[in-house]
Amino acid sequence: MFGYRVPAPDEAMLISGGRRGLGGAPFRVVTGHGKFVLPVFRKVRFLTLSMCESEVTETCVTRQGIALHVRAVIAFKVGNDHESIINAGQRFLSDQEQMSVLTGRIFAGHLRAIIGSMTVEEIVTERQKLAAEVLDTSKTEMAKIGLIVDSLQIQSIDDGDTGYIDAMSAPHKAAIQRQAQIAQAQATQTAAEAQQEAARKQAEYARQTAVVQAAYSAEVDRAQAQAAQAGPLAQAHAQQEVLAAQTELALRQAKLRQQQLVAEVVKPAEAEAERVRILAAAEAQRMKIQAEAAASYDRVALDRMLIDQLPQIVKEAAGGLAGANVNVLNGADGLGEIAAGLVSQGLTILDSVRQNLGGQESDGARSSGARSENKGDGPLQLPTGKQKKSDDGPVDVD
């Protein structure tokens, strides 16, 4: 549109004519947007806001009196605020290239001043400190002309032919060389050790290879030997299996024969022996029962016989006393005592006979024979000390 002007993104548009700008400036500042400008009545100029560069190469003397050639690069630009743009526009609008020249001169002066207060060792080892001090001392002056410094880099420091920096770095160089030599020696040693280790591994590998080859050869030989012996071994195994089968058959036949003998001989013999034993036990039991029955019968018969003969025994005893010379002192009472004694003697004889029969119950047959002998008509045998001597003699009574 006619009369409408727009500044670039890295430019500031300065409009002069008409009203004054901020703070009594002879122009108005427009950035970031367009502005309608009356032609002929207004004049428009543009101030760059882009980054600029200035290189400084200066010979500076240190606090020790040693001259150093210092080379530095400054990156700067016009400030974005209206005050900085106004300051820079009033100073550099007609010749904007002068910004780099003036900035280089300003920093050269501050660089000489700062280096003059430092030693070579500080300058060499603390370059960042040197750059920070130069920026701090120049910040105020740069703000007055509307410029701001983004960075300051010390690119090189050289002492020329004096050799001070080389002498200062000699111990470090020696230490570095010594460390380099040590590192080289260590590297050489490591390489030698690596070579020796590689040689040992190669030897070990060769040994293992030889061992494996020998093992393979031995295994092949063993397989060939086994193959050569396979036929005889198979025949021997077959014969061994035949012998084992024959042995097993013989054992089975022997076991079968043993079972047959047991079934044909042992079992019938055991059955016969058991039958004989049972018959013998039954016969013995029968005989025992018969003997006990006979003994019981004989004892009852003997008791009955003794009871039946007891009056006869008493009578015989009394008859023996009839011809005897017996003095009776008590008359009828004395005769009664004699008769009572005879009866008591007969009872005692009967008890004695019963006791003798009780001790002989187990011998039934012999007792039966003895009782058979006593059943005759002969006189009864009395116990010792209680017997009748004769018809005319006296009768002894215990």
Side-chain angles (χ1 to χ4, degrees):
M1 186 177 181
F2 183 77
Y4 191 80
R5 307 295 296 273
V6 179
D10 59 347
E11 290 180 338
M13 185 172 62
L14 308 180
I15 303 173
S16 59
R19 294 181 301 172
R20 288 182 173 272
L22 183 65
F27 49 79
R28 288 180 295 170
V29 178
V30 178
T31 58
H33 60 87
K35 190 74 174 176
F36 183 77
V37 180
L38 292 175
V40 181
F41 298 99
R42 304 286 187 272
K43 188 174 183 179
V44 177
R45 301 287 299 273
F46 294 95
L47 178 66
T48 181
L49 301 178
S50 62
M51 181 68 65
C52 300
E53 179 181 306
S54 177
E55 182 174 345
V56 178
T57 302
E58 191 70 20
T59 301
C60 306
V61 179
T62 66
R63 188 175 62 186
Q64 299 162 316
I66 299 173
L68 298 178
H69 302 285
V70 181
R71 182 173 177 272
V73 176
I74 304 100
F76 66 95
K77 66 181 292 295
V78 177
N80 294 327
D81 58 293
H82 284 192
E83 184 178 358
S84 298
I85 293 173
I86 292 172
N87 292 334
Q90 289 178 341
R91 290 171 177 81
F92 306 109
L93 185 60
S94 59
D95 188 4
Q96 298 185 25
E97 296 295 332
Q98 288 295 321
M99 288 190 295
S100 298
V101 176
L102 182 59
T103 300
R105 290 175 181 174
I106 293 173
F107 272 89
H110 288 289
L111 191 62
R112 285 194 301 270
I114 298 299
I115 289 177
S117 64
M118 299 175 65
T119 62
V120 178
E121 288 79 5
E122 293 174 347
I123 296 170
V124 172
T125 58
E126 300 179 2
R127 290 189 181 186
Q128 190 63 33
K129 178 182 178 181
L130 173 62
E133 290 184 1
V134 172
L135 286 175
D136 289 339
T137 55
S138 62
K139 184 181 296 183
T140 304
E141 294 182 12
M142 295 293 289
K144 289 180 180 180
I145 59 177
L147 301 177
I148 58 175
V149 179
D150 288 339
S151 67
L152 171 64
Q153 296 294 329
I154 307 297
Q155 292 186 338
S156 65
I157 298 175
D158 186 12
D159 62 350
D161 297 332
T162 58
Y164 186 89
I165 296 177
D166 292 337
M168 183 179 65
S169 62
H172 301 286
K173 289 181 180 179
I176 292 173
Q177 291 176 356
R178 183 171 61 254
Q179 292 177 358
Q181 292 174 357
I182 293 173
Q184 182 65 34
Q186 291 177 351
T188 303
Q189 182 179 359
T190 303
E193 291 177 355
Q195 292 177 356
Q196 293 176 359
E197 183 66 21
R200 282 196 297 269
K201 288 183 178 180
Q202 290 178 356
E204 180 65 20
Y205 180 76
R207 185 186 68 82
Q208 292 179 357
T209 303
V211 170
V212 172
Q213 290 177 351
Y216 287 162
S217 299
E219 186 175 357
V220 171
D221 296 339
R222 184 166 58 253
Q224 292 177 352
Q226 290 178 356
Q229 296 176 359
L233 287 175
Q235 185 176 2
H237 285 307
Q239 293 177 356
Q240 185 177 2
E241 291 179 356
V242 171
L243 291 176
Q246 292 177 353
T247 303
E248 181 68 20
L249 179 60
L251 291 175
R252 291 183 178 180
Q253 290 177 353
K255 186 175 181 180
L256 180 60
R257 180 57 183 165
Q258 182 180 3
Q259 293 176 354
Q260 291 176 353
L261 291 175
V262 169
E264 294 175 357
V265 178
V266 176
K267 292 298 183 180
E270 290 179 352
E272 181 63 22
E274 183 67 18
R275 187 182 67 81
V276 171
R277 186 185 64 79
I278 292 173
L279 292 176
E283 181 64 20
Q285 186 68 20
R286 185 183 64 80
M287 292 177 65
K288 179 179 179 182
I289 293 171
Q290 289 178 355
E292 290 178 354
S296 177
Y297 175 80
D298 291 343
R299 185 170 61 251
V300 171
L302 179 59
D303 291 343
R304 182 176 296 174
M305 181 189 68
L306 290 176
I307 293 170
D308 293 340
Q309 291 184 0
L310 181 59
Q312 185 64 29
I313 292 171
V314 176
K315 182 179 179 181
E316 290 294 333
L321 292 174
N325 187 10
V326 178
N327 295 320
V328 179
L329 299 178
N330 296 327
D333 293 333
L335 292 175
E337 290 177 359
I338 293 173
L342 291 175
V343 174
S344 176
Q345 186 177 4
L347 292 175
T348 302
I349 293 170
L350 180 59
D351 291 335
S352 178
V353 172
R354 287 179 177 176
Q355 291 178 359
N356 291 330
L357 289 177
Q360 297 176 357
E361 288 181 358
S362 60
D363 194 4
R366 187 176 59 187
S367 298
S368 177
R371 284 190 296 271
S372 297
E373 292 178 358
N374 292 331
K375 287 180 180 181
D377 297 333
L380 179 64
Q381 297 295 328
L382 299 176
T384 304
K386 297 178 179 69
Q387 60 182 352
K388 181 181 177 182
K389 290 185 178 180
S390 64
D391 293 341
D392 296 331
V395 177
D396 295 330
V397 179
D398 294 337

